[in-house]
Every structure is written in C-alpha cells, then in structure tokens.
C-alpha cells in the first residue's frame, strides 16, 4: 500500500481552502492534514501537521507566499511547495520557484490534475510545463552578476552532471534524461542528488533556473 501524501492548504480565501480540501480529501492516496489562511501561519501549521506537500497561495495580506515558501524551504527536511496563482504570467511565480517551490498550478486547474501534481511533487518530480516556464523565465531580467555566478557554479560539475543539469533546464523528467543520455533511472537520480549537494540547491527547479541564468537554455 502506497503511503498517504499529507497536504497543507494555504490560502486567504476560505472558499478556496474549502474547495481544495474537499477535492483533495476525495483523491486516492492524498489527505489534507491542515489549513492556513496567511503566510505567517505556515511554519506553525507545518510543525503541527507535518505535511509532505504545501499548496501555497502567492498573494496574502500579511506574509506573501514567496516569503512563506523561502522560510519553509530553509528548514531542515522541508515539505515540497506548489504555489497557486490566478495568472500564469505573474513574475512572482518565478520568484517563488527561486525561493524553493517545486512548481506551480493555476487555481482553475482541473481537480484530477491538481491531485496528480501533488502526487508527482511528493515523489520528487517538479510540475513545470516547459512552455509556461519559458514564458516566465523570459519575463525576468537576470540580475547583474547572476550570469557569471551561474556559469561558475555549473563549472564545478562533472561533464555527466552538467549534461543532466542542462536536460533539467530544458524541462526533461528523469525518464527522458535517462533515455537521452543512456543512463538508468537510478543513475539519473544519483546525478541529480550530487548536483543539488554540490550547488547547495533545494530542488531540481532551482537547477533549471541556474541553467537559465547561465544562458544555456
């Protein structure tokens, strides 16, 4: 029997929280273990409920989702975070990904897709559409020095690790990377783990962003 994915729902709209809770509680292998109505409640709720995945609204009155995500992801053994938004062109989404979120969903995403995204992120796979990710990345100007810093960071990887990092930057999943680079799935996962450790990153989404900053995709 597969373990239940524990979810914390964070949104300042009570109707949105109720809708997500009702929908996810009825999904196979998922349980909503808690709710929070603002970003300043997230860390306390995570301590109490121990979620595997947090569905995080971006715009909240006291502490926004970006700040809450950054604080949450800086903790030891943090849960994965999926940010929620109404607009897929909002630059704040990309900032949330840089803060450590594993992906994002639009609030009008079909229920079955939201449930699948929760399972996917809990299993260690980000939920980034290459098309949407490219649109978001193109909206953000790389800060001065970020290009050189990203290039220097990636230079510390082995040639095979660099190949994997570039594939992640292109939006490829582990199975696709394995097929393209003639690696087993276990080898791909091992390379991803080594890349995260070497670059002091929290998840593969941040690898993709670093590759973008380096101008390699």
């Amino acid at each position: 029997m597969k373990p239940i994915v524990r979810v914390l729902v964070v949104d300042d709209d009570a109707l949105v929280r109720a809708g997500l809770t009702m929908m996810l509680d009825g999904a196979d292998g998922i349980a909503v273990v808690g709710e929070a109505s603002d970003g300043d409640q997230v860390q306390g709720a995570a301590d109490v409920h121990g979620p595997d995945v947090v569905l995080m609204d971006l715009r909240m009155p006291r502490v926004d989702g970006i700040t809450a995500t950054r604080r949450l992801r800086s903790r030891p053994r943090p849960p994965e975070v999926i940010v929620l938004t109404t607009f897929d062109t909002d630059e704040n989404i990309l900032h949330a990904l840089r803060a450590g979120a594993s992906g994002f969903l639009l609030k009008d995403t079909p229920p079955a897709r939201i449930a699948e995204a929760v399972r996917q992120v809990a299993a260690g796979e980000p939920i980034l559409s290459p098309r949407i990710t490219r649109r978001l990345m193109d909206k953000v100007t790389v800060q001065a020095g970020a290009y050189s810093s990203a290039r220097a960071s990636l230079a510390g990887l082995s040639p095979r690790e660099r190949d994997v990092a570039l594939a992640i930057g292109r939006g490829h999943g582990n199975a696709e990377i394995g097929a393209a680079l003639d690696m087993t799935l276990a080898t791909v996962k091992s390379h991803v783990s080594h890349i995260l450790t070497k670059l002091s990153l929290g998840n593969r989404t941040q690898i993709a962003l670093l590759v973008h900053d380096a101008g390699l995709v």
Side-chain angles (χ1 to χ4, degrees), residues 1-82:
M1 183 177 178
K2 292 183 179 180
I4 298 295
V5 179
R6 299 167 58 84
V7 176
L8 174 68
V9 175
V10 182
D11 199 291
D12 63 335
D13 188 322
L15 289 177
V16 171
R17 293 198 310 275
L20 287 169
T21 297
M22 182 179 301
M23 180 270 293
L24 289 173
D25 265 342
D28 183 48
I30 298 174
V32 175
V33 295
E35 299 179 10
S37 60
D38 205 291
D40 61 356
Q41 301 172 5
V42 172
Q43 295 199 69
D47 287 338
V48 171
H49 301 294
D52 302 303
V53 176
V54 177
L55 289 179
M56 182 84 74
D57 188 19
L58 283 184
R59 297 177 178 177
M60 294 177 283
R62 293 188 295 277
V63 174
D64 63 71
I66 296 170
T67 301
T69 296
R70 185 179 298 110
R71 291 174 179 174
L72 193 61
R73 292 294 299 172
S74 68
R75 295 154 49 107
R77 300 180 65 84
E80 301 295 338
V81 176
I82 299 173

Side-chain angles (χ1 to χ4, degrees), residues 163-182:
D163 290 341
V164 172
L166 291 178
I168 291 173
R170 297 185 183 105
H172 296 164
N174 287 346
E176 293 175 293
I177 295 172
L181 299 179
D182 194 24

Side-chain angles (χ1 to χ4, degrees), residues 150-209:
R151 287 266 175 163
S153 295
L154 293 171
L157 301 178
S158 71
R160 217 53 175 148
E161 290 167 349
R162 181 182 171 87
D163 290 341
V164 172
L166 291 178
I168 291 173
R170 297 185 183 105
H172 296 164
N174 287 346
E176 293 175 293
I177 295 172
L181 299 179
D182 194 24
M183 296 180 183
T184 66
L185 192 58
T187 300
V188 174
K189 290 181 178 179
S190 177
H191 280 311
V192 173
S193 179
H194 291 158
I195 293 168
L196 292 172
T197 300
K198 282 187 176 182
L199 302 182
S200 299
L201 299 176
N203 57 40
R204 60 190 293 137
T205 303
Q206 292 179 321
I207 297 175
L209 295 173

